[in-house]
Amino acid sequence: MFTAHYRKSAASQRRLWRSSNMVIAGKIRGNAPQLASYLLAQGENERITILDVDGHSYADAAHLKDTLYSMELNSELTRSRNSVYHAYINPNPEDTTDRAMSMEEWQQSVEILTKQLGYEDQRRVVVLHEKPGNRIHAHIVYERYNHERRAMTTYEQNYKAHDRARAEMERKFSHKPTPQKNNNRAGHKQTLTAIWQRTDTAAAFMSEAKANGYQIAMGTDRPFKVIDSDGVSFDLVRKLDGIKTSEVRQRFSDTKLVSEKQAIREQQQVKQQQPKQEQLKTTEQPAEKAAAGSDQTPAAGDTPSDARQQFLQNIKDVRERNRSLTTEITLSVLIALKVCFSFKGSTTEKRAWLKDAFAVTTHQITERQCKSPPKVMLGFIEAAQYYKPT
């Protein structure tokens, strides 16, 4: 195993690879000799370890360069200019801070990725780069030319292979699982495709899509985008099963679309306003319900101890159901409760008058959404038993 050590630089210490999850990515490319130079370059690396070269774990830099050069030459036997598939594995730093992955675990990671890509019969080169802070990631270079079939290996569905490999590595090494992106992708595609099929114009499609929580926009990297209710943007054509870009372009030829950035901002604003609208609906109760609630008074035979237990129970109910109260009404009730026994010795007529006053001020707060509490308050027992949110 060849390992090159380099002295730390102050600049390299400040620039660390940071990622919140394990990252596995890869793509085809050409110019393998240039890639060999990159893999062996110092750059920001503190240490470079050649883990594997075509099955040899004790290879040196010269062996690595010769292997990648031969991969480039073999590609000349085909019409492809992309001689290799370059992938990398970058673990979640939270999983490797306390315990770094061993060489055996790195080898197992490479085997998992190789199997998922279907490259078991291909030659490969594996190099580990260690950044400051013990951050290690692996580069894996596969030869694309298959000597038995005398053709280039496929790389279709490589993103799905990366996801499967990452999930298997996280399970095997007990790493933090990566959250799945957009668990409702299949649902988006099914819904939007159905809307497309039952509409004939762009306006009708956009209207029905909006009713289902979507907004159509003009993209930057792709011509048409769809933004879901969470403000996440997707390629519209990819969400329409069996529909080509030319068909979408034809339907939207005379339609002016908002920009993707604006559509995302609007969808996020709608999402933020939904809790407030639901809260307003629950607090707009008919006046007769409030009046009916005001008729409830403490029983004449209740002792202070019983009344206090009832009050504490009512407080628990308010806490459990406080989502149905506006901030102003909650504040009003709490101030009324704070005066405790201030109205304990009031007459029946005075208590009735206080209830009516509290009903009026509560209704005013609900109507105008004032930020200040009412001037007239009930006693805490009266208020707790009077105001029961529904």
Side-chain angles (χ1 to χ4, degrees):
M1 180 186 299
F2 171 82
T3 303
H5 298 268
Y6 296 105
R7 181 177 57 87
K8 288 185 180 179
S9 65
S12 66
Q13 290 177 348
R14 293 192 298 266
R15 296 191 295 268
L16 305 179
W17 273 38
R18 294 179 179 177
S19 175
S20 58
N21 300 295
M22 177 181 287
V23 177
I24 299 179
K27 64 179 181 179
I28 59 173
R29 59 158 293 169
N31 198 357
Q34 185 276 333
L35 178 58
S37 300
Y38 165 77
L39 294 177
L40 297 172
Q42 173 185 355
E44 299 178 355
N45 301 310
E46 289 185 350
R47 183 182 294 106
I48 295 177
T49 302
I50 300 178
L51 188 63
D52 179 19
V53 176
D54 194 15
H56 301 279
S57 57
Y58 294 95
D60 56 12
H63 190 184
L64 182 146
K65 291 181 178 180
D66 291 343
T67 301
L68 289 181
Y69 183 67
S70 68
M71 292 181 184
E72 184 71 20
L73 291 179
N74 287 333
S75 68
E76 298 294 334
L77 301 175
T78 68
R79 296 180 180 181
S80 176
R81 296 181 179 180
N82 298 311
S83 55
V84 297
Y85 185 90
H86 177 203
Y88 66 86
I89 303 173
N90 188 23
N92 184 346
E94 296 179 1
D95 296 318
T96 56
T97 300
D98 298 331
R99 188 188 71 83
M101 292 177 61
S102 64
M103 292 300 167
E104 182 180 357
E105 289 175 329
W106 278 114
Q107 287 283 15
Q108 293 174 355
S109 299
V110 173
E111 294 296 338
I112 291 173
L113 179 60
T114 302
K115 181 179 179 180
Q116 292 296 342
L117 289 170
Y119 287 171
E120 295 94 330
D121 298 330
Q122 302 305 116
R123 291 195 297 169
R124 70 185 183 213
V125 167
V126 182
V127 179
L128 301 181
H129 284 179
E130 182 175 345
K131 302 289 184 181
N134 296 324
R135 293 285 295 110
I136 304 177
H137 64 275
H139 291 269
I140 308 98
V141 184
Y142 299 96
E143 180 180 20
R144 292 191 62 221
Y145 183 75
N146 187 290
H147 294 263
E148 293 184 1
R149 296 187 295 106
R150 298 181 181 181
M152 289 295 193
T153 56
T154 181
Y155 62 96
E156 295 179 358
Q157 307 294 329
N158 60 328
Y159 296 109
K160 294 182 179 180
H162 297 162
D163 288 340
R164 293 193 300 268
R166 183 184 63 242
E168 185 175 348
M169 292 179 199
E170 290 170 341
R171 288 193 302 268
K172 187 175 185 64
F173 305 129
S174 300
H175 286 189
K176 179 182 177 181
T178 300
Q180 293 296 317
K181 298 180 180 179
N182 186 21
N183 295 328
N184 197 30
R185 287 194 175 189
H188 291 329
K189 191 169 188 176
Q190 183 178 3
T191 302
L192 290 168
T193 302
I195 296 174
W196 179 272
Q197 293 174 349
R198 62 174 174 260
T199 56
D200 297 327
T201 64
F205 175 76
M206 293 173 63
S207 177
E208 192 165 345
K210 186 175 182 179
N212 284 270
Y214 300 99
Q215 186 167 354
I216 311 303
M218 176 179 59
T220 53
D221 55 337
R222 299 290 297 171
F224 303 101
K225 289 285 189 173
V226 57
I227 294 84
D228 67 5
S229 57
D230 293 325
V232 181
S233 178
F234 306 95
D235 181 7
L236 175 59
V237 179
R238 290 182 178 271
K239 297 302 174 185
L240 299 175
D241 192 14
I243 307 300
K244 297 181 180 179
T245 304
S246 58
E247 299 178 60
V248 180
R249 197 186 302 276
Q250 182 179 1
R251 181 177 290 195
F252 284 89
S253 59
D254 300 328
T255 304
K256 186 176 180 180
L257 300 174
V258 299
S259 66
E260 180 182 2
K261 185 176 181 180
Q262 180 181 348
I264 293 174
R265 184 164 54 247
E266 291 176 357
Q267 290 289 81
Q268 290 175 344
Q269 290 175 352
V270 171
K271 182 180 179 181
Q272 292 173 357
Q273 292 173 357
Q274 285 178 350
K276 297 181 181 179
Q277 293 174 351
E278 293 176 358
Q279 188 180 44
L280 290 175
K281 289 180 181 179
T282 57
T283 56
E284 292 175 354
Q285 302 176 8
E288 54 270 17
K289 289 187 177 181
S294 65
D295 294 336
Q296 299 179 3
T297 59
D302 285 350
T303 64
S305 177
D306 294 337
R308 184 173 181 81
Q309 292 298 326
Q310 182 64 33
F311 157 68
L312 293 176
Q313 183 60 44
N314 289 339
I315 288 297
K316 292 181 180 179
D317 294 341
V318 170
R319 286 178 177 175
E320 292 175 358
R321 306 170 68 178
N322 62 357
R323 292 185 179 181
S324 64
L325 301 174
T326 63
T327 305
E328 293 78 16
I329 292 178
T330 304
L331 179 61
S332 173
V333 174
L334 292 177
I335 292 177
L337 299 178
K338 189 176 181 180
V339 299
C340 294
F341 292 97
S342 59
F343 296 107
K344 184 173 65 172
S346 301
T347 62
T348 303
E349 292 78 9
K350 190 174 182 179
R351 287 200 301 268
W353 176 81
L354 289 171
K355 289 179 182 179
D356 294 337
F358 186 77
V360 172
T361 52
T362 302
H363 181 69
Q364 291 174 351
I365 292 172
T366 306
E367 286 289 322
R368 296 183 297 174
Q369 289 299 305
C370 301
K371 292 187 177 180
S372 59
K375 296 180 180 179
V376 182
M377 293 293 176
L378 283 179
F380 83 105
I381 295 178
E382 306 282 347
Q385 294 193 359
Y386 162 72
Y387 190 79
K388 294 183 178 181
T390 58

